[in-house]
Amino acid sequence: MKFWHKIYLFSVLLFSVSISFVGLMLVRSLHNSMLGKEIEKSIAEEKILAHELEMDTFYSNWHLPQESKEVSGRSLNQIIEDYIDATPVEGYYQVLNMDNEILYTDFNFPKSTEQQELEKLTSERVHYILREVENKKYVYICGLANILTGQVKVYYAKELTPIYQTMQRQYGYFIRLDIFICVVFSIFMVFISRFVTKPIENLVNSTKKIAIGNYSERAEVTSKDEFSVLATQFNHMANTIEEKIGELEESNSQKEAFINNFTHELKTPLTSIIGYADFIRTSRYDEKLFFEAADYIYNEGKHLEKIAFKMMDLIYSKTQPLNLETIEVISFFNDIRKSFYRRIQDKNLEVIIKGELSQLTADPILLKMLINNFIDNAIKASNEGGKIYMEVKNGQDEITLSGMM
């Protein structure tokens, strides 16, 4: 899963859960507020009826003798009916004595088998309870009223089903609104998540190009945020990698050059060594001649050793200074010519050395490698019985070494 997919899914999920939770809490809060207000209104209606009942029974019977002050069921019914006719109410009433016997009841009063709200009543306390009867929601409220003959229970019930139906409708409205908002937010987040993760995608593409060998690839820096810092540091890293790769390639090239040059430089001394060894092997014993040949073999072997060390110094030590020495030119060239003695004899060649210089300042190993290559190529290119000329001239600020066949 791509990073922008994760951002998209996480954002949409978090937004959906958050807005759903807040919306549900809001609907629930509104419902509780409406329900609380309706219960307070119902309690007030119950208290008003109880007060009216107390006042009406008192004023209707105050002129009667003490022994005749009894409130009959009919007169109590008449008082309640007069109150309901004068003040329309939304609920249903019952009046009960302290033994829960009904003194007055509304024909439509919702009956319930549970009536724990009628117990343990006091003059200062009103009981209420929410109850479902026949799939309808009601609030039952019960309080005491003081009449001439004692206390009665004023029982009031009011239907709250419309409030619950309103809550259900609000839930429905909110769910539809929530779905619409989440869909719009999801579409919006597709573009936002792609935009936010675009720099990361560019970095990924750059790393892929570098991985296949395009070390000059760099990430584009288009902003000044944390992604730009990451891209800048990535480019610094890519520069370092490119430099290291260049160094490795250069080192590898140097190693290849060393192998090629070393192999090439080995050929001439080895050829001389093989030639003198073959000469010793095929000639009759002559102590002087054998000693001379063995001396050339030894010298060429030491020369091979010096070539190996010199090549290592030149390849791996770029600042290695040259070991300059004063060289007797004619003697130096004659020694080199002797190392080619067998090859010169095999092709019946003549090597003629001329020089205007008696001495030359140079690195003897490198100069010998140069002359060896020169003579080796000359022998290869010369016809049998030919001549090879070597000449050293002293020019202005330079020394010229030339040869012809």
Side-chain angles (χ1 to χ4, degrees):
M1 182 181 293
K2 292 186 177 180
F3 184 58
W4 77 268
H5 290 165
K6 295 180 180 179
I7 293 178
Y8 170 77
L9 291 177
F10 177 77
S11 301
V12 171
L13 181 61
L14 180 62
F15 178 80
S16 301
V17 172
S18 300
I19 194 173
S20 299
F21 177 78
V22 172
L24 293 176
M25 291 299 100
L26 180 61
V27 172
R28 173 62 65 177
S29 177
L30 292 174
H31 169 72
N32 291 338
S33 177
M34 294 175 60
L35 185 62
K37 291 179 180 180
E38 197 64 31
I39 292 175
E40 291 178 358
K41 180 181 177 182
S42 300
I43 292 175
E45 291 176 350
E46 185 275 336
K47 288 183 177 181
I48 291 173
L49 177 61
H51 180 71
E52 290 291 333
L53 189 60
E54 291 175 349
M55 296 301 295
D56 285 349
T57 54
F58 174 77
Y59 286 113
S60 297
N61 297 279
W62 70 273
H63 60 283
L64 296 177
Q66 183 67 30
E67 63 274 6
S68 301
K69 290 182 179 181
E70 294 181 358
V71 181
S72 66
R74 181 178 179 280
S75 61
L76 186 63
N77 291 349
Q78 187 64 44
I79 292 172
I80 296 175
E81 289 174 358
D82 290 342
Y83 168 75
I84 294 175
D85 291 339
T87 309
V89 294
E90 299 176 0
Y92 311 98
Y93 288 99
Q94 273 188 350
V95 179
L96 301 89
N97 60 21
M98 298 307 292
D99 295 325
N100 294 335
E101 295 176 349
I102 298 175
L103 302 178
Y104 169 83
T105 183
D106 192 318
F107 180 74
N108 295 321
F109 191 90
K111 297 179 180 180
S112 174
T113 57
E114 299 178 3
Q115 294 182 331
Q116 61 267 33
E117 64 272 16
L118 300 177
E119 306 299 329
K120 299 180 181 179
L121 290 172
T122 62
S123 300
E124 296 80 13
R125 187 175 182 181
V126 175
H127 291 180
Y128 76 89
I129 190 170
L130 297 175
R131 186 176 292 128
E132 183 175 352
V133 178
E134 296 179 355
N135 297 324
K136 292 183 180 181
K137 301 289 185 178
Y138 291 92
V139 58
Y140 288 86
I141 304 169
C142 188
L144 294 178
N146 296 312
I147 61 176
L148 295 177
T149 57
Q151 290 182 322
V152 293
K153 298 178 180 179
V154 179
Y155 201 17
Y156 180 69
K158 185 175 182 180
E159 184 179 358
L160 301 179
T161 303
I163 295 178
Y164 286 90
Q165 291 175 342
T166 300
M167 181 185 69
Q168 295 299 326
R169 288 195 299 270
Q170 289 176 341
Y171 278 140
Y173 295 150
F174 171 74
I175 290 173
R176 289 191 291 271
L177 180 62
D178 185 28
I179 293 174
F180 173 76
I181 294 176
C182 289
V183 170
V184 174
F185 181 78
S186 301
I187 297 174
F188 176 74
M189 279 305 302
V190 170
F191 299 99
I192 292 298
S193 57
R194 291 297 301 272
F195 175 77
V196 170
T197 59
K198 186 65 175 179
I200 298 179
E201 186 176 351
N202 292 337
L203 280 178
V204 172
N205 294 332
S206 297
T207 55
K208 289 180 179 179
K209 292 179 181 179
I210 292 176
I212 62 177
N214 185 11
Y215 301 113
S216 62
E217 175 67 21
R218 295 295 180 270
E220 183 180 0
V221 181
T222 58
S223 62
K224 295 183 180 180
D225 54 12
E226 287 79 1
F227 288 120
S228 67
V229 175
L230 178 61
T232 301
Q233 294 302 319
F234 175 83
N235 290 337
H236 289 332
M237 180 188 68
N239 291 333
T240 303
I241 291 175
E242 187 176 15
E243 291 175 1
K244 295 300 181 182
I245 293 296
E247 292 176 1
L248 290 174
E249 290 178 347
E250 181 180 0
S251 176
N252 188 56
S253 299
Q254 290 176 348
K255 291 179 181 178
E256 291 181 357
F258 169 77
I259 294 173
N260 294 333
N261 293 334
F262 186 67
T263 302
H264 183 267
E265 295 303 328
L266 284 179
K267 290 173 61 179
T268 301
L270 283 176
T271 301
S272 298
I273 291 172
I274 293 172
Y276 277 105
D278 184 63
F279 175 73
I280 293 174
R281 185 175 62 85
T282 58
S283 300
R284 296 183 63 181
Y285 178 76
D286 184 328
E287 183 176 357
K288 180 180 179 182
L289 185 61
F290 276 33
F291 179 80
E292 183 179 353
D295 186 58
Y296 277 116
I297 291 174
Y298 175 78
N299 290 334
E300 290 301 320
K302 295 296 291 183
H303 180 59
L304 281 177
E305 182 182 34
K306 292 179 180 179
I307 288 176
F309 289 133
K310 194 64 178 182
M311 293 295 293
M312 291 289 291
D313 291 339
L314 291 175
I315 295 299
Y316 293 103
S317 301
K318 298 180 180 179
T319 59
Q320 179 72 18
L322 294 176
N323 182 25
L324 300 179
E325 298 179 6
T326 301
I327 300 172
E328 297 292 337
V329 177
I330 302 302
S331 175
F332 185 78
F333 283 9
N334 283 329
D335 289 339
I336 295 175
R337 179 175 59 180
K338 289 178 182 179
S339 64
F340 289 91
Y341 175 77
R342 290 296 301 170
R343 295 181 62 191
I344 293 174
Q345 289 296 320
D346 290 341
K347 297 190 72 172
N348 194 22
L349 299 175
E350 183 180 0
V351 178
I352 301 172
I353 300 175
K354 296 181 180 181
E356 297 178 358
L357 290 174
S358 59
Q359 290 184 340
L360 176 66
T361 302
D363 188 313
I365 298 176
L366 295 179
L367 183 60
K368 188 172 183 179
M369 290 169 58
L370 174 65
I371 302 303
N372 279 343
N373 287 331
F374 175 76
I375 296 177
D376 181 64
N377 293 331
I379 292 174
K380 292 178 181 178
S382 298
N383 296 322
E384 188 172 352
K387 295 181 179 181
I388 300 174
Y389 296 89
M390 296 178 60
E391 185 175 4
V392 181
K393 296 181 180 180
N394 185 13
Q396 185 176 3
D397 297 329
E398 65 179 11
I399 297 173
T400 304
L401 173 64
S402 61
M404 60 181 180
M405 297 172 288

